[in-house]
Amino acid sequence: MSTLPPPPDPFLLPVRDPRVRALVFDYAEMHALVADLVLPGGASMYVMSALETSRELIRHSYYRYEFATVAVTHSLFALEHVLAERLATNEPLHVLIERATDAVLITAELAAELDRSRLLRDKLTQGAESSATLRPTRAVVMVRAVFDAVSLLLRQPSPAGTTAPDVGGAQPEDGLARLWEDHLRALFPDGFRGVDVDGVDLVLLDADVAGLVQRELNGGLDDSGIAYLWGRITDLDKIVPLINEEYCASYFTKLRTMAQVAAAPDIPTAI
């Protein structure tokens, strides 16, 4: 007699949530709904991941209506992170929004929209609202406000006395350390484990660069390590233009920047 559990039911494809029927005709229309939610340039991988996840939650609310509300609350992770860094303080989100408004970093209108998202999150925490509160179309408006605020905060000049890393030239001593900390917080792109691009295994490439950068931080690379790192930079130059998924392309672009900062003191005459 077999003691094995019965086989699982055949895999069922997701079906449209009936609550979105009045909003869109088919899933393709969800792409148009979120088309203007473009990831801001210059964001850390943590912020990019949070914003992209929020956008995709709205897209997939076609299958589960509640994802729209979750998208708004998830986007606040990115907002709070950027505000705390920009203002150099760790305070509750409503205080950060007020401080950013007072400093004219964001407009009062934008701050009001952000605060509506913050209030929604608080009500969900308290059980005063449910995850089915928002229509996807309203979620787009609220998440767009977060995208806009993050873009504004990242475009504005850094405080006096700080300089961004200049790849290929002289670097601040802690420039590589900051890039390394950013990399440690980043999530490897979903769906790209076990994938190779033009013969380059992405997981192995990521691990190789990370290991070499860590060695550089912990005492410096020897000649063979530097040579190997430049070889991996060449691989990154080759594969990044071929990646057509936004977060994955950004992840490996930032990986290349970190690798070149680590290798910059020993630029070979020919690569």
Side-chain angles (χ1 to χ4, degrees), residues 161-211:
T162 63
T163 55
D166 178 16
V167 175
Q171 306 298 325
E173 288 185 0
D174 61 342
L176 181 59
R178 288 199 303 270
L179 292 170
W180 175 245
E181 290 300 321
D182 189 16
H183 179 73
L184 290 178
R185 290 194 297 266
L187 299 176
F188 190 88
D190 287 341
F192 285 86
R193 296 188 185 278
V195 172
D196 69 82
V197 176
D198 200 14
V200 177
D201 183 287
L202 297 186
V203 169
L204 183 59
L205 177 61
D206 181 51
D208 281 349
V209 172

Side-chain angles (χ1 to χ4, degrees), residues 5-239:
D9 292 334
F11 177 74
L12 298 177
L13 293 174
V15 296
R16 178 176 63 176
D17 191 308
R19 291 170 288 182
V20 303
R21 191 170 296 155
L23 302 176
V24 294
F25 177 72
D26 57 20
Y27 182 64
E29 291 189 13
M30 297 301 293
H31 305 320
L33 192 65
V34 300
D36 66 341
L37 297 179
V38 179
L39 298 179
S44 70
M45 294 304 298
Y46 174 84
V47 171
M48 294 272 284
S49 177
L51 292 178
E52 184 172 41
T53 298
S54 301
R55 182 185 65 197
E56 295 311 303
L57 281 167
I58 296 176
R59 196 194 307 270
H60 286 85
S61 65
Y62 179 84
Y63 300 114
R64 181 68 181 180
Y65 193 83
E66 285 80 359
F67 286 176
T69 300
V70 177
V72 174
T73 60
H74 194 84
S75 71
L76 295 180
F77 295 147
L79 175 66
E80 193 161 5
H81 183 84
V82 172
L83 281 171
E85 283 198 340
R86 186 70 179 82
L87 297 168
T89 182
N90 287 313
E91 296 185 89
L93 181 55
H94 72 279
V95 176
L96 293 173
I97 294 172
E98 289 173 2
R99 286 184 179 276
T101 308
D102 292 342
V104 199
L105 298 176
I106 57 176
T107 65
E109 293 78 11
L110 186 55
E113 190 65 62
L114 298 174
D115 207 50
R116 278 189 278 272
S117 296
R118 193 267 309 172
L119 287 170
L120 171 62
R121 182 192 65 181
D122 292 349
K123 288 179 181 178
L124 287 165
T125 303
Q126 297 157 7
E129 294 282 5
S130 78
S131 295
T133 296
L134 295 179
R135 293 158 60 94
T137 48
R138 177 58 183 150
V140 168
V141 173
M142 298 174 82
V143 170
R144 185 185 296 119
V146 174
F147 272 68
D148 290 346
V150 169
S151 295
L152 278 173
L153 292 163
L154 293 176
R155 280 204 304 266
Q156 292 166 10
S158 300
T162 63
T163 55
D166 178 16
V167 175
Q171 306 298 325
E173 288 185 0
D174 61 342
L176 181 59
R178 288 199 303 270
L179 292 170
W180 175 245
E181 290 300 321
D182 189 16
H183 179 73
L184 290 178
R185 290 194 297 266
L187 299 176
F188 190 88
D190 287 341
F192 285 86
R193 296 188 185 278
V195 172
D196 69 82
V197 176
D198 200 14
V200 177
D201 183 287
L202 297 186
V203 169
L204 183 59
L205 177 61
D206 181 51
D208 281 349
V209 172
L212 291 162
V213 168
Q214 191 168 32
R215 283 168 54 192
E216 174 66 15
L217 287 168
N218 291 338
L221 291 166
D222 57 19
D223 290 343
S224 64
I226 288 290
Y228 189 49
L229 181 55
W230 277 107
R232 299 270 70 184
I233 291 171
T234 300
D235 289 333
L236 284 161
D237 287 340
K238 178 173 67 172
I239 64 101

